[in-house]
Every structure is written in C-alpha cells, then in structure tokens.
Amino acid sequence: MAQQELKRDLANRHVQLIAIGGTIGTGLFLGSGKAIQLAGPSIVFAYLLVGIAVFFVMRALGELLLSKAGYQSFTDIAEDYLGPRAAFVTGWTYWFCWIMTAMADVIAVGVYVQYWFDIPQWVPAVICLIILLGLNLLTVKNFGELEFWFALIKVVTILVLIALGVILLVIGFKTDAGTVTATNIWAHGGLFPNGIQGFLLSFQMVVFAYVGVELVGVSAAETSNPEKNIPSAINKIPLRILFFYVGALIALLCINPWTGLTPAESPFVKTFSLVGIPIAAGIINFVVLTSAASACNSGMFSTSRILYNLSKNDQAPSRMAKLNRNHVPGNALLISTLVISVGALLSKLIPGQAFGIVTTISAICFIWVWGVVLVCHLRYKRTRPELQAKSKFKAPFTPWVNYVVLAMFAGILLIMLIAEETRPALLLTPLWFIILFVLHALRKRKEQEPHAPLEQTRL
C-alpha cells in the first residue's frame, strides 16, 4: 500500500521556491513587452489587480486543502463540493492548461538555444524533454531541486534589475534613451497613454503571467509539512507580486520609456543593453531559457499529478495511478510528456500563431480552474460551517471577495471576446468543455449498462 502513495519529499525550501517560480512565469519575461505596448505604464496596475485576485484564490485554495487531510489537489475538492462531473471537467481542464503551456515552452527552449548554436530547434526541445523526464522519473525531490535552482536564477535576475534601477535612478544615469528618472513612467502620454481600452486589453497576457501560482496546491500531497509550508508560501504571494512584478516593471519603465519597448524583443534584454552591459543579451537569453525550461518542468509535474489524481478517482485509465519504485506516477508522467512532445511538433508547424493561441486558451482555462476554487470555497463556507470554524488558515473577506473576484474573471473573459486577437481562441475553447461533458456522460452511461440486465431480471 505504501507503494501506492505519493512520497512527501518536498521540503519547505522547495515549496517556497515552487511558489516563487510559479509567481514568476514566462509571461513576465516574454509577454510583458506586448502587455506594455498595449497598456503603457498602466500595466503596473493590471499586474497588481490580477495579482490581488490570484492571492484571494490561493487563500481560498489553502483553506480548502488544509480543511481535510485526504485532499491532494483541487480536483478532490471539486468532487467533494461540486460532484464528480465538475471534478472530471476541472481535472482534465487543468491537465489541458499545462499541456498547452508546456507545448509553447518546450518550443521556446529550442528557439532560445538557437541563439548560441545553429541547430534545428526541435533538437534542443527533445533533449530538454528527455532530461526533464529522466529527472522527474527518479524522485519528486528532483522536481523540487530543479524548480529551486530554476526559480533562483529568475529571482537573482530580477533582484539585479531592481538594484540596478535604483542605483541608476539615484545617480541620474544617462542612456541612449535619455536620463534614468521616475518621470519616464508618466512623461510619455501619462499613465494611461492608450486609454482604458489598452489597459483592459493587456489583461489576457497578465493572467497568463500568473499561470502556475497554484502549483503550491498541486504539490500539497508531496509536501512534508503542509500545515506549515502551504500557508507560509501562500501568505508571501503579495510581497512577491509587489516585488517581482510591480518592482521589476517600475525599474524597467524608469530606465527605458515604455515607448521604446516592443513585443518583438524582451524588455529585460533591451534594458540591460541600454545600461551598457555588453553580454546583456546572452545573459537574459539564458535566463529566459531557464524560465521556459522551468515552466516545462512545472507542466510535466502538474500534468502527471493531475492524471494520477484523476485515475485514483476513476476518471482516467487505472494505469495512470501506478507509481514506480520512487513513488512517482511514471505512467502519467510518460503520457503527459508524449502529448507535450506532439504538441511541440504542431506548434512548430504554425510558429507565427501557436504562441498567441496557446497562451489565450491557457489563460481562459486557468480562469475556469481558479473560478472553480472560489465556488468550492463558497460551498465549503455554506455547507461545512463546522470545518470553517475550526480552520487555522481562514481566507479573508469571504464570501464577498469571492464574488468580486469571480466578477473580475467574467469581465476579463468579456474583454477577450471583444478583442479581435483573442476572440477566436475564446470561441474555440468551449469545444473543449463540450467534449469533456460528453465524455463524462458517456462514461456514466457505460458504468450503468452492466446493471440493466439485473434490473430486468428483478422485474
């Protein structure tokens, strides 16, 4: 029986860095250029608003996870409060979210390696998948160690950027773009140079930037001391949002006016180049490479654990619940990696469109998952008052904040419907949910079929 349980090998430092790595996603390094072009300096407010909303989602998830020892992820929570159909749809949707995200990231790995080596991009992509698969198959501790170092690289880079911004601001350093000054934030058209419309259109990429923050919840079953580690990681999310997102963006905008940043290049590369660091492009390319590998690593981890939980709840093939001798769901990990590799090939065939479509669909599906967490928390508060009364990690301002955040998510989906660039992906995404509802109905009917002859016999 011990062989069939996930091993709690993630220490506090792993959980903390997984939380940081989840908070600093590829959306910051890759997507912030496009988001800044849309919103201008008001992008800081967009990151702040979505970050606050995500924090309340995580507080709700944290309270739910700690309310019952048997919970291993939010699919278990969804089944408990919304029923097996909601768990089936949410579990497979979360798997789909990370598959889509990992597809984009593994292709990105191949593109970034081409900066140094003139080789086909599929070669480093496949090598990356093989290495990450091999390390993840050994022990969950390897995943924790990989994320620890990947996240550390991202953290150090942003720390250097912010420290550099402060120093240049104090000395009034002059670059090719002008003097480094706080007035660069509002001196080029104000805080909302593209109006409210540009501000609202940036929310899709901002939501994608926060994808992965809920990995703290997915890793709950493999955390050595969840009662201590999960609250600690979640409570530090606001500081991380303020520091790593808002702080980094303010530093970028002080050094380089937003009008000088374009979606075609990383704003981090542009900023380091402006201050006269000759190897800036190579340094940031390495950071973005590790960020993409980190996101792919997170995708492999989360998709395998979701398949494992779906299988344990009889919502996926039973083979997906089988653990190897290292207490890792090897079959689930292999299947997820195989699907990611096929998706990477498809992404390669339509490189100009793939990333935008994938990130939009991923953001939409993550809004579904986060929304389900909030709805489950409302049900928990209404139907299990005795558990809520005993909770040592109560989510603040409930239930009203749940409704406010749900309304905000609905507004973001409406914005995606109005925007021409995101509308096609938004209109396609419901097909995924229709397929899942049909599959669940067929499974339910198949489960009931063997009982029909017995009923006829009794009649």
Short mmCIF file of all heavy atoms in Angstrom, two decimals, residues 2 6 20 23 33 45 65 71 92 111 149 170 185 199 203 233 252 263 269-270 272 283 287 327 345 372 384 441:
data_model
loop_
_atom_site.label_atom_id
_atom_site.label_comp_id
_atom_site.label_asym_id
_atom_site.label_seq_id
_atom_site.Cartn_x
_atom_site.Cartn_y
_atom_site.Cartn_z
N ALA A 2 1.99 1.20 0.70
CA ALA A 2 2.87 2.37 0.76
C ALA A 2 3.35 2.76 -0.63
O ALA A 2 3.59 3.91 -0.92
CB ALA A 2 4.05 2.09 1.68
N LEU A 6 1.88 8.87 -2.88
CA LEU A 6 2.93 9.82 -3.25
C LEU A 6 3.80 10.10 -2.04
O LEU A 6 3.32 10.14 -0.91
CB LEU A 6 2.31 11.13 -3.75
CG LEU A 6 1.50 11.04 -5.05
CD1 LEU A 6 0.83 12.37 -5.34
CD2 LEU A 6 2.38 10.64 -6.22
N ILE A 20 7.55 30.75 -5.67
CA ILE A 20 8.18 31.88 -6.34
C ILE A 20 8.27 31.61 -7.84
O ILE A 20 7.97 32.47 -8.67
CB ILE A 20 9.60 32.14 -5.78
CG1 ILE A 20 9.51 32.62 -4.33
CG2 ILE A 20 10.34 33.17 -6.62
CD1 ILE A 20 10.85 32.78 -3.65
N THR A 23 5.04 32.15 -9.38
CA THR A 23 4.67 33.57 -9.44
C THR A 23 5.42 34.29 -10.54
O THR A 23 4.92 35.25 -11.12
CB THR A 23 4.96 34.25 -8.07
OG1 THR A 23 4.37 33.46 -7.03
CG2 THR A 23 4.37 35.62 -8.01
N GLY A 33 6.51 42.61 -22.77
CA GLY A 33 6.72 43.57 -23.84
C GLY A 33 5.43 43.89 -24.57
O GLY A 33 5.11 45.06 -24.82
N PHE A 45 -0.66 48.60 -12.87
CA PHE A 45 -1.94 48.43 -12.17
C PHE A 45 -2.61 47.11 -12.58
O PHE A 45 -3.26 46.46 -11.76
CB PHE A 45 -2.87 49.61 -12.47
CG PHE A 45 -2.31 50.94 -12.07
CD1 PHE A 45 -2.09 51.94 -13.01
CD2 PHE A 45 -1.97 51.20 -10.74
CE1 PHE A 45 -1.56 53.16 -12.64
CE2 PHE A 45 -1.45 52.42 -10.37
CZ PHE A 45 -1.24 53.40 -11.31
N LEU A 65 -7.59 23.08 1.13
CA LEU A 65 -6.62 21.98 1.19
C LEU A 65 -6.35 21.53 2.62
O LEU A 65 -6.20 20.33 2.88
CB LEU A 65 -5.30 22.39 0.53
CG LEU A 65 -5.25 22.37 -1.00
CD1 LEU A 65 -3.97 23.02 -1.49
CD2 LEU A 65 -5.36 20.95 -1.54
N TYR A 71 -7.31 15.57 1.02
CA TYR A 71 -7.20 16.31 -0.23
C TYR A 71 -5.77 16.31 -0.76
O TYR A 71 -4.83 16.58 -0.03
CB TYR A 71 -7.63 17.76 -0.03
CG TYR A 71 -9.11 17.96 0.21
CD1 TYR A 71 -9.57 19.01 1.00
CD2 TYR A 71 -10.05 17.12 -0.37
CE1 TYR A 71 -10.91 19.22 1.22
CE2 TYR A 71 -11.41 17.31 -0.16
CZ TYR A 71 -11.83 18.37 0.64
OH TYR A 71 -13.17 18.57 0.85
N TRP A 92 -9.38 17.48 -15.92
CA TRP A 92 -8.87 17.38 -17.29
C TRP A 92 -8.57 18.75 -17.89
O TRP A 92 -7.66 18.88 -18.72
CB TRP A 92 -9.87 16.62 -18.17
CG TRP A 92 -9.77 15.13 -18.00
CD1 TRP A 92 -10.62 14.31 -17.31
CD2 TRP A 92 -8.73 14.28 -18.50
NE1 TRP A 92 -10.19 13.01 -17.36
CE2 TRP A 92 -9.03 12.96 -18.09
CE3 TRP A 92 -7.58 14.50 -19.25
CZ2 TRP A 92 -8.22 11.87 -18.40
CZ3 TRP A 92 -6.77 13.42 -19.57
CH2 TRP A 92 -7.10 12.12 -19.15
N VAL A 111 14.07 27.49 -29.57
CA VAL A 111 14.35 28.79 -30.19
C VAL A 111 15.48 29.49 -29.46
O VAL A 111 16.39 30.07 -30.08
CB VAL A 111 13.08 29.67 -30.18
CG1 VAL A 111 13.39 31.07 -30.67
CG2 VAL A 111 12.01 29.04 -31.06
N TRP A 149 16.45 25.70 -8.27
CA TRP A 149 17.52 26.39 -8.98
C TRP A 149 16.99 27.23 -10.14
O TRP A 149 17.48 28.32 -10.40
CB TRP A 149 18.58 25.39 -9.45
CG TRP A 149 19.30 24.77 -8.30
CD1 TRP A 149 19.18 23.51 -7.81
CD2 TRP A 149 20.24 25.44 -7.43
NE1 TRP A 149 19.97 23.33 -6.71
CE2 TRP A 149 20.64 24.49 -6.44
CE3 TRP A 149 20.77 26.73 -7.39
CZ2 TRP A 149 21.55 24.82 -5.45
CZ3 TRP A 149 21.69 27.05 -6.39
CH2 TRP A 149 22.07 26.09 -5.43
N VAL A 170 19.28 56.96 -8.72
CA VAL A 170 19.92 57.84 -7.74
C VAL A 170 20.99 58.70 -8.40
O VAL A 170 21.10 59.91 -8.13
CB VAL A 170 20.52 57.01 -6.58
CG1 VAL A 170 21.40 57.89 -5.69
CG2 VAL A 170 19.42 56.36 -5.76
N ILE A 185 7.98 57.26 -16.25
CA ILE A 185 6.76 56.46 -16.09
C ILE A 185 5.54 57.19 -16.63
O ILE A 185 4.68 56.59 -17.27
CB ILE A 185 6.56 56.07 -14.61
CG1 ILE A 185 7.73 55.20 -14.13
CG2 ILE A 185 5.24 55.34 -14.40
CD1 ILE A 185 7.69 54.85 -12.65
N PHE A 199 -5.50 49.45 -21.55
CA PHE A 199 -5.33 48.87 -20.21
C PHE A 199 -6.07 47.55 -20.09
O PHE A 199 -5.50 46.54 -19.62
CB PHE A 199 -5.83 49.90 -19.18
CG PHE A 199 -5.90 49.38 -17.77
CD1 PHE A 199 -4.75 49.08 -17.05
CD2 PHE A 199 -7.13 49.22 -17.15
CE1 PHE A 199 -4.82 48.62 -15.74
CE2 PHE A 199 -7.22 48.76 -15.84
CZ PHE A 199 -6.06 48.46 -15.14
N PHE A 203 -5.00 42.53 -20.10
CA PHE A 203 -5.29 41.58 -19.01
C PHE A 203 -5.09 40.12 -19.41
O PHE A 203 -4.76 39.29 -18.58
CB PHE A 203 -6.72 41.79 -18.50
CG PHE A 203 -6.81 42.83 -17.41
CD1 PHE A 203 -6.65 44.17 -17.71
CD2 PHE A 203 -7.03 42.48 -16.10
CE1 PHE A 203 -6.71 45.15 -16.72
CE2 PHE A 203 -7.10 43.43 -15.10
CZ PHE A 203 -6.94 44.78 -15.41
N ALA A 233 3.90 29.70 2.19
CA ALA A 233 4.12 30.03 0.78
C ALA A 233 3.02 30.96 0.25
O ALA A 233 3.31 31.92 -0.47
CB ALA A 233 4.17 28.75 -0.06
N LEU A 252 11.99 48.77 -15.01
CA LEU A 252 12.07 48.79 -16.47
C LEU A 252 11.63 50.13 -17.04
O LEU A 252 12.28 50.70 -17.92
CB LEU A 252 11.19 47.68 -17.06
CG LEU A 252 11.68 46.23 -16.97
CD1 LEU A 252 10.59 45.28 -17.43
CD2 LEU A 252 12.93 46.02 -17.79
N PRO A 263 7.02 44.41 -28.54
CA PRO A 263 6.75 42.98 -28.31
C PRO A 263 7.78 42.08 -28.96
O PRO A 263 7.93 40.91 -28.57
CB PRO A 263 5.37 42.77 -28.94
CG PRO A 263 4.78 44.12 -29.09
CD PRO A 263 5.93 45.06 -29.28
N VAL A 269 16.04 42.34 -21.98
CA VAL A 269 17.22 42.42 -22.85
C VAL A 269 17.48 43.87 -23.24
O VAL A 269 18.61 44.37 -23.17
CB VAL A 269 17.04 41.56 -24.11
CG1 VAL A 269 18.19 41.77 -25.09
CG2 VAL A 269 16.94 40.09 -23.75
N LYS A 270 16.41 44.58 -23.63
CA LYS A 270 16.54 45.97 -24.06
C LYS A 270 17.09 46.83 -22.92
O LYS A 270 17.98 47.68 -23.13
CB LYS A 270 15.17 46.49 -24.49
CG LYS A 270 15.14 47.94 -24.96
CD LYS A 270 15.89 48.10 -26.26
CE LYS A 270 15.84 49.56 -26.74
NZ LYS A 270 14.59 49.89 -27.39
N PHE A 272 18.89 45.95 -20.15
CA PHE A 272 20.29 45.66 -19.83
C PHE A 272 21.22 46.16 -20.94
O PHE A 272 22.35 46.58 -20.67
CB PHE A 272 20.50 44.16 -19.62
CG PHE A 272 20.18 43.70 -18.23
CD1 PHE A 272 18.90 43.29 -17.89
CD2 PHE A 272 21.15 43.69 -17.23
CE1 PHE A 272 18.60 42.87 -16.60
CE2 PHE A 272 20.86 43.28 -15.94
CZ PHE A 272 19.58 42.86 -15.62
N ILE A 283 23.06 36.99 -21.38
CA ILE A 283 22.63 36.71 -20.00
C ILE A 283 21.13 36.53 -19.93
O ILE A 283 20.63 35.55 -19.37
CB ILE A 283 23.07 37.87 -19.06
CG1 ILE A 283 24.60 37.91 -18.94
CG2 ILE A 283 22.43 37.71 -17.69
CD1 ILE A 283 25.11 39.13 -18.20
N VAL A 287 18.56 33.38 -19.03
CA VAL A 287 17.51 33.46 -18.01
C VAL A 287 16.16 33.03 -18.60
O VAL A 287 15.41 32.26 -17.99
CB VAL A 287 17.41 34.88 -17.43
CG1 VAL A 287 16.18 35.03 -16.54
CG2 VAL A 287 18.67 35.22 -16.64
N HIS A 327 8.04 6.19 -6.00
CA HIS A 327 6.78 6.83 -5.60
C HIS A 327 6.42 7.98 -6.53
O HIS A 327 5.81 8.97 -6.11
CB HIS A 327 6.85 7.32 -4.14
CG HIS A 327 7.10 6.23 -3.14
ND1 HIS A 327 6.08 5.58 -2.49
CD2 HIS A 327 8.25 5.67 -2.71
CE1 HIS A 327 6.59 4.67 -1.68
NE2 HIS A 327 7.91 4.70 -1.80
N LEU A 345 5.53 19.64 -31.74
CA LEU A 345 5.66 19.47 -33.19
C LEU A 345 4.60 20.30 -33.92
O LEU A 345 4.90 20.98 -34.91
CB LEU A 345 5.52 17.99 -33.55
CG LEU A 345 5.55 17.64 -35.05
CD1 LEU A 345 6.89 18.03 -35.65
CD2 LEU A 345 5.27 16.15 -35.25
N VAL A 372 -13.47 27.73 -10.21
CA VAL A 372 -13.97 26.54 -9.52
C VAL A 372 -13.50 26.54 -8.06
O VAL A 372 -14.26 26.19 -7.15
CB VAL A 372 -13.51 25.25 -10.24
CG1 VAL A 372 -13.72 24.02 -9.36
CG2 VAL A 372 -14.28 25.08 -11.54
N ARG A 384 -20.25 23.47 5.22
CA ARG A 384 -19.40 22.87 6.25
C ARG A 384 -18.97 23.92 7.29
O ARG A 384 -17.78 24.17 7.47
CB ARG A 384 -18.14 22.25 5.61
CG ARG A 384 -18.41 21.32 4.42
CD ARG A 384 -18.74 19.92 4.83
NE ARG A 384 -19.08 19.11 3.69
CZ ARG A 384 -18.21 18.44 2.94
NH1 ARG A 384 -16.92 18.53 3.20
NH2 ARG A 384 -18.61 17.70 1.93
N ALA A 441 -20.57 12.06 -19.67
CA ALA A 441 -21.90 11.45 -19.81
C ALA A 441 -21.80 10.04 -20.37
O ALA A 441 -22.50 9.12 -19.92
CB ALA A 441 -22.77 12.33 -20.72
#
